Amino acid sequence: MAAGSESRPRDFIRQIVADDLRTGKRAGVVTRFPPEPNGYPHIGHAFAICVNYGIAEEFGGRYHLRFDDTNPATEEALFVEVMQRDIRWLGFDWGEHLYFASDYFGELYASAVELIRRGHAFVCDLSSAEIAARRGTLTEPGQESPYRDRPVEESLDLFERMKAGEFEPGTRVLRAKIDMASSILPNRDPVLYRIVKASHHRTGDAWCIYPLYDFAHCLSDSIEGITHSLCSIEFVDHRPLYDWILDSLERECHPQQIEFARLNITHTVLSKRVLLRLVNEGYVSGWDDPRMPTLSGMRRRGVPPTALRSFCADVGVTRVGDRRVQLAKFDASVREELNRTAERRMGVLRPLKVVIENYPEDLVEEMECVNNPEDAAAGTRRVPFSRELWIERDDFLEDPPRKFFRMAPGREVRLRYAYLVTCTEVRKDADGEVVEVRCTYDPETRGGDAPDGRRVKGTLHWVSARHAVAAEARLYEILFSVENPMAVPEGGDVTDNLNPDSIEVVDAAWLEPSVAALDPGTTLQLERLGYFSLDPDGSPERPVLNRTVTLRDTWAKLQKKGG
Ligand code: ATP
Ligand code: MG
């Protein structure tokens, strides 16, 4: 039995689908995701994909990927490729059900002709400015076009000549004949077709008239036999038009459009238009900049697709509401997944030299380190240990406060998986800056435990200086410093809300040698520092790491303290 039909459905859409199957209103479930190929998919799209595809999967139905490529001016073949790659990465496979609205141009044209024939559409000679001026407002009815009642034969002739390229863009459009006084604005004789003299990425110059979204979308759904057309809430006003077109043409397949609340996330912009600006104006390095909310940015940052899907499932589907989910909730999903799956490694971001005075100059010991304490199958690895090490600068204080359990003069600490060491001396440069710490080690404590059971509170990570690999680490913070970046005061710009410190590059980090062998794209945990992915910019000689998330939600804690 399909999971979705067991017990109580998780949300109102699943409830509708379950009812439709139970009552026999629908024989099966077919959904689709209909992106416009005009940008890279982002986490908002991932949410819509998880809703559409997740529901089809749960109810044993099928799902389609359909590119809504009805606007030749903004679409690029590149985006078609990228979207497919990224949706596959998310873990969905539409099999043979890949479609393009442009494949239906012939059928859509025939439907438009039929609509004119039935007296439901007319060719209008008003300019777009004139049409807009007559549209009316929420409180005022619109004005009918003087061409509204031209004879059907005349509209048929003009529409055919529009298609033949006789007229210039903007001189004529095809409009539905519905109701200029309708309280639903999209129903005020909406434009269905317009003249566009531009090459299309798939149909070339075959067409010079193109259908508008509202016309193409419902008919594409109907052509494909979609049962439930699930979309975000801004389409709610378009539902009457969706139904009107299908009813007016007496289409046999009439899918049900159902709207759900959009996903918004704090400190995040999910508008392709703004994301495109960030790319074009150089605020980020590209669509796949790890700070971007795009799927390619997240992949590069090290976010596992499974974390993205479990986040979308946790957020859940609601009917209405302008909700804004905390970015910290997303980070928590990522952390939870990576804690289970990412292997641990040691690395030092801000190095301080430690010399173990009583450790033999030439000795190198291989310490056995656990790869993932959450996953026994991940096994262990050997990490070289020698007389000179790097530790984190923050892990040493010359005058420590009472609760500081890391390294300090006279204090014994554990070097993870290695030995207990005691700090004996601090060396400084001319400016009084600590440049080196000298220690002694207790050879009886190999592995990190004292045979006499004496207690040592602090445990530090380390890297053998002689064996370490030099690396660059890119530390990311929120891209926008305010919760709702799209809220911009008069005269301001959304880019004013960018966080000027969203990236910090640490260029002198040291990593244990095994990291050099890992492939770009691998995500690991640097012990005590966070989760990191290996960036394709790096090489085995000089790895580049992206910080995916910190180990704990330090940012939320700071917020609490501050507020
Ligand atoms: P943008 O606003 O970024 O331009 P869009 O909605 O115009 O996005 P489309 O390619 O038209 O982009 O979107 C395809 C589908 O993705 C739409 O059906 C839309 O409902 C859904 N979608 C886009 N953003 C979100 C979001 N933030 N939450 C839920 N669904 C979304
Ligand atoms: Mg859109």
Side-chain angles (χ1 to χ4, degrees):
M1 195 185 200
S5 56
E6 274 167 26
S7 66
R8 245 185 62 190
R10 279 215 313 271
D11 54 66
F12 78 101
I13 299 181
R14 286 172 168 86
Q15 180 73 60
I16 293 171
V17 172
D19 290 347
D20 287 352
L21 292 176
R22 189 172 39 76
T23 60
K25 180 176 170 192
R26 307 277 176 187
V29 178
V30 185
T31 63
R32 85 290 167 265
F33 176 64
E36 204 183 317
N38 61 355
Y40 278 51
H42 55 59
I43 188 168
H45 297 117
F47 183 79
I49 292 164
C50 287
V51 173
N52 273 288
Y53 291 3
I55 287 177
E57 266 178 353
E58 282 166 42
F59 287 92
R62 66 165 202 266
Y63 50 84
H64 298 182
L65 172 60
R66 181 202 317 136
F67 287 102
D68 171 37
D69 56 350
T70 50
N71 181 3
T74 59
E75 285 141 17
E76 282 183 41
L78 165 74
F79 295 136
V80 169
E81 290 310 311
V82 163
M83 288 232 172
Q84 294 187 62
R85 181 197 65 195
D86 289 355
I87 300 170
R88 280 209 186 87
W89 172 76
L90 194 57
F92 292 104
D93 181 2
W94 49 90
E96 62 201 18
H97 297 289
L98 170 65
Y99 303 102
F100 293 84
S102 56
D103 288 344
Y104 310 138
F105 280 170
E107 220 171 325
L108 297 175
Y109 176 76
S111 294
V113 169
E114 180 61 24
L115 215 51
I116 301 171
R117 241 185 227 126
R118 292 177 179 226
H120 294 314
F122 65 100
V123 170
C124 179
D125 302 356
L126 296 177
S127 68
S128 58
E130 287 167 325
I131 291 174
R134 287 160 200 250
R135 200 156 174 254
T137 63
L138 279 172
T139 49
E140 297 264 317
Q143 247 176 289
E144 290 186 352
S145 162
Y147 304 97
R148 197 173 199 265
D149 294 318
R150 76 182 352 157
V152 165
E153 289 310 319
E154 194 177 313
S155 278
L156 284 173
D157 174 60
L158 287 170
F159 189 50
E160 196 180 329
R161 288 163 62 195
M162 279 168 65
K163 174 174 176 267
E166 268 188 48
F167 309 121
E168 286 316 299
T171 57
R172 285 189 171 79
V173 291
L174 181 73
R175 294 177 72 180
K177 196 190 282 191
I178 310 180
D179 179 6
M180 285 308 290
S182 174
S183 59
I184 301 151
L185 294 182
N187 270 8
R188 293 190 182 171
D189 293 5
V191 175
L192 304 179
Y193 260 93
R194 60 197 172 122
I195 301 167
V196 181
K197 295 200 169 161
S199 247
H200 186 279
H201 75 117
R202 298 188 88 235
T203 58
D205 296 319
W207 295 88
C208 60
I209 52 171
Y210 289 90
L212 272 90
Y213 171 85
D214 282 320
F215 189 67
H217 184 243
C218 58
L219 285 169
S220 303
D221 278 355
S222 173
I223 291 167
E224 290 174 20
I226 300 300
T227 57
H228 300 84
S229 181
L230 315 177
C231 59
S232 44
I233 194 72
E234 70 272 23
F235 294 104
V236 71
D237 278 357
H238 295 247
R239 185 178 354 120
L241 180 55
Y242 185 105
D243 290 332
W244 181 91
I245 293 169
L246 297 181
D247 287 340
S248 301
L249 287 164
E250 294 176 273
R251 294 284 310 188
E252 200 174 316
C253 171
H254 191 138
Q256 181 181 2
Q257 175 177 310
I258 307 171
E259 308 83 20
F260 53 84
R262 279 178 86 85
L263 172 69
N264 295 299
I265 302 176
T266 61
H267 307 283
T268 305
V269 161
L270 295 181
S271 152
K272 270 187 286 193
R273 187 179 47 82
V274 175
L275 297 179
L276 182 66
R277 277 192 59 201
L278 297 183
V279 172
N280 287 346
E281 295 170 27
Y283 291 105
V284 294
S285 65
W287 284 102
D288 68 344
D289 186 301
R291 291 166 293 177
M292 289 282 271
T294 52
L295 302 196
S296 32
M298 292 189 171
R299 174 173 55 230
R300 186 166 173 187
R301 184 159 172 160
V303 170
T306 41
L308 202 44
R309 286 179 67 161
S310 69
F311 168 75
C312 291
D314 283 354
V315 167
V317 179
T318 57
R319 200 187 295 264
V320 286
D322 183 21
R323 51 189 183 158
R324 193 166 286 279
V325 178
Q326 291 293 321
L327 184 57
K329 183 181 167 75
F330 176 70
D331 289 347
S333 300
V334 175
R335 220 174 263 128
E336 189 179 294
E337 176 75 16
L338 291 178
N339 181 44
R340 280 191 290 116
T341 57
E343 291 203 355
R344 277 54 169 171
R345 291 293 184 271
M346 289 196 283
V348 171
L349 293 183
R350 294 177 177 86
L352 174 63
K353 178 69 80 60
V354 168
V355 178
I356 304 174
E357 291 187 310
N358 60 339
Y359 195 87
E361 293 265 3
D362 301 327
L363 183 61
V364 176
E365 287 180 273
E366 299 274 323
M367 299 304 179
E368 190 171 11
C369 304
V370 174
N371 282 332
N372 185 352
E374 304 290 323
D375 176 12
T380 60
R381 69 189 186 285
R382 298 185 167 277
V383 178
F385 181 88
S386 65
R387 186 172 193 259
E388 296 197 6
L389 308 167
W390 297 113
I391 65 162
E392 213 65 57
R393 190 160 277 278
D394 280 357
D395 280 340
F396 175 83
L397 274 185
E398 200 178 2
D399 293 305
R402 233 165 42 87
K403 293 224 160 156
F404 185 86
F405 299 115
R406 292 168 264 171
M407 195 181 277
R411 182 97 43 96
E412 185 170 53
V413 294
R414 175 181 300 105
L415 295 176
R416 189 151 166 82
Y417 300 119
Y419 289 106
L420 299 183
V421 297
T422 304
C423 171
T424 51
E425 189 193 333
V426 183
R427 295 199 176 165
K428 298 179 184 174
D429 64 12
D431 301 326
E433 187 81 23
V434 176
V435 290
E436 188 178 302
V437 171
R438 315 284 288 191
C439 291
T440 54
Y441 84 118
D442 177 351
E444 300 298 308
T445 60
R446 188 177 162 148
D449 288 309
D452 63 4
R454 70 180 182 272
R455 272 165 55 85
V456 172
K457 271 210 168 151
T459 299
L460 313 186
H461 59 276
W462 51 269
V463 176
S464 164
R466 206 194 312 168
H467 303 92
V469 180
E472 173 181 320
R474 300 172 182 169
L475 312 181
Y476 304 108
E477 298 290 342
I478 45 176
L479 184 53
F480 288 93
S481 36
V482 298
E483 288 223 337
N484 179 6
M486 295 298 276
V488 178
E490 272 287 311
D493 186 82
V494 64
T495 57
D496 301 343
N497 289 330
L498 282 163
N499 172 11
D501 303 313
S502 59
I503 179 168
E504 180 191 354
V505 176
V506 170
D507 61 3
W510 293 106
L511 307 174
E512 64 167 82
S514 70
V515 179
L518 301 175
D519 292 329
T522 308
T523 304
L524 51 88
Q525 183 195 98
L526 285 186
E527 298 230 17
R528 301 179 63 228
L529 296 175
Y531 295 98
F532 292 81
S533 68
L534 271 98
D535 193 89
D537 281 353
S539 65
E541 292 71 41
R542 187 174 166 77
V544 172
L545 299 181
N546 297 305
R547 185 170 66 197
T548 316
V549 278
T550 52
L551 288 183
R552 272 169 290 278
D553 188 2
T554 45
W555 179 82
K557 253 189 251 158
L558 284 179
Q559 284 282 101
K560 245 181 232 161
K561 260 192 214 162

